[in-house]
C-alpha cells in the first residue's frame, strides 16, 4: 500500500479468508507516485516488488537497495538486507522513478527484475537492471540475465524475456535454452507448459514449448488477445 498522490513509506496488507485485514509497516521502503506540480516538472514513481513463498508464510519486498522479509503469520519484518546499488548508465542522468518485480523461485531464492525511469529532454527512457537471483537469508545476489526486463516461472523452468533473447533456465540458474535472439520478446504470456510471445498489438504470437525448449510455430488472431491458462 502506497500513499495517495505522493511517494512515502509503504505498508503490506494481508487479507484473511474471513475478510480480516492485517497491515505491517515496511521501514525504508518507499512507494507511490508523485505527479508533476507543473508542466516543467516530471512525475516520480517508486514501485517495490513483492513475492510470497510457495508455503504462504513469508513475503519478500524488494527496492533498488533493500530486501525485507515479512512473516505473514506474525505480521512483522524478520529480515532486512542492503542490496548492491545498480548505478545509472550515465551519472548525469536524473532518475525519475524505478520499479521492481519479484518472483519467489523455491526455498530461499528470489528472482528479481527491475527498471529505472529517467527523462532526457522530452523523452522518458527506461533502462533494465536485468534479472538476478537473490538469497533472502543473506541478501546476496547473482546475475541471471543482464539484458532481460522480466522473469516468470513455467513448471520447473524460469523464463527470462524482454532482453536480447527468450531464455529458459533451471531453477538453480543453469541455462536450458535460448530462442528468438534479436527479436522483440517484451510481451510474454504463459499457459501450462507453453509461452506465447506477442507482437503486433497482441495479434501475432510465437508459441514456445518451454518444457522442450523449442519454438512450435506462430499464429495470428483477428483482435488483440489475452491468453488464459
Amino acid at each position: 500500500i502506497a500513499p495517495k498522490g505522493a511517494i512515502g513509506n509503504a505498508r503490506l496488507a494481508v487479507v484473511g479468508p474471513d475478510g480480516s485485514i492485517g497491515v505491517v509497516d515496511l521501514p525504508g521502503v518507499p512507494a507511490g507516485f508523485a505527479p508533476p506540480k507543473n508542466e516543467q516538472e516530471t512525475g516520480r514513481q517508486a514501485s517495490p516488488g513483492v513475492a510470497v513463498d510457495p508455503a504462504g508464510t513469508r513475503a519478500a519486498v524488494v527496492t533498488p537497495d533493500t530486501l525485507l522479509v515479512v512473516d505473514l503469520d506474525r505480521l512483522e519484518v524478520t529480515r532486512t538486507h542492503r542490496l548492491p546499488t545498480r548505478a545509472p548508465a550515465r551519472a548525469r542522468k536524473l532518475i525519475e522513478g524505478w520499479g521492481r518485480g519479484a518472483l519467489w523461485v523455491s526455498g530461499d531464492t528470489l528472482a528479481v527484475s527491475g527498471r529505472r525511469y529517467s527523462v532526457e529532454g522530452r523523452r522518458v527512457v527506461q533502462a533494465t537492471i536485468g534479472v538476478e537471483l537473490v538469497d533472502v537469508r543473506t541478501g546476496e545476489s547473482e546475475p541471471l540475465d543482464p539484458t532481460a526486463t522480466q522473469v516468470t516461472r513455467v513448471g520447473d523452468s524460469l523464463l527470462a524475456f524482454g532482453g536480447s533473447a527468450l531464455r529458459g533456465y533451471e531453477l538453480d540458474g543453469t541455462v536450458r535454452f535460448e530462442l528468438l535472439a534479436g527479436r522483440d520478446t517484451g510481451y510474454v504470456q504463459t499457459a501450462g507448459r507453453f509461452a506465447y510471445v506477442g507482437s503486433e498489438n497482441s495479434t501475432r504470437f510465437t508459441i514456445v514449448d518451454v518444457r522442450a525448449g523449442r519454438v512450435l510455430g506462430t499464429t495470428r488472431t483477428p483482435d488483440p488477445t489475452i491468453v488464459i491458462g
Side-chain angles (χ1 to χ4, degrees):
I1 300 175
K4 185 177 181 179
I7 295 177
N9 195 73
R11 297 176 295 155
L12 183 70
V14 179
V15 183
D18 60 353
S20 61
I21 301 176
V23 178
V24 56
D25 289 329
L26 302 174
V29 175
F33 176 74
K37 297 179 181 179
N38 53 57
E39 294 183 356
Q40 285 71 43
E41 291 190 358
T42 302
R44 294 179 297 112
Q45 175 180 318
S47 180
V50 180
V52 178
D53 75 343
T57 60
R58 295 176 294 171
V61 182
V62 184
T63 77
D65 55 15
T66 304
L67 165 64
L68 268 62
V69 180
V70 180
D71 185 310
L72 296 179
D73 292 325
R74 297 184 305 192
L75 287 179
E76 62 180 40
V77 176
T78 58
R79 293 179 186 268
T80 302
H81 299 292
R82 302 295 294 179
L83 300 177
T85 302
R86 303 292 181 242
R90 282 179 282 174
R92 294 176 300 175
K93 187 181 294 184
L94 176 63
I95 299 302
E96 301 294 343
W98 54 267
R100 289 293 181 273
L103 173 70
W104 206 300
V105 178
S106 62
D108 294 303
T109 303
L110 294 177
V112 176
S113 59
R115 295 181 178 182
R116 298 184 299 266
Y117 306 94
S118 61
V119 176
E120 296 182 356
R122 295 182 178 274
R123 296 188 307 131
V124 177
V125 179
Q126 300 184 31
T128 181
I129 68 160
V131 176
E132 300 176 332
L133 296 180
V134 180
D135 190 320
V136 299
R137 298 167 302 175
T138 64
E140 296 180 351
S141 63
E142 59 179 271
L144 182 74
D145 190 324
T147 68
T149 60
Q150 298 181 69
V151 63
T152 189
R153 180 171 175 172
V154 179
D156 291 330
S157 298
L158 292 176
L159 196 62
F161 54 95
S164 58
L166 181 75
R167 295 186 178 91
Y169 299 86
E170 302 285 356
L171 298 185
D172 63 0
T174 304
V175 180
R176 286 192 54 234
F177 62 82
E178 179 179 309
L179 302 169
L180 309 179
R183 292 173 55 180
D184 180 11
T185 62
Y187 183 55
V188 173
Q189 303 178 72
T190 62
R193 62 189 283 180
F194 305 106
Y196 300 81
V197 184
S199 60
E200 298 178 19
N201 194 27
S202 297
T203 60
R204 183 180 187 274
F205 295 91
T206 300
I207 305 171
V208 175
D209 185 333
V210 177
R211 186 183 299 172
R214 65 188 182 95
V215 175
L216 299 182
T218 60
T219 188
R220 286 186 176 274
T221 58
D223 301 299
T225 300
I226 296 175
V227 176
I228 301 176

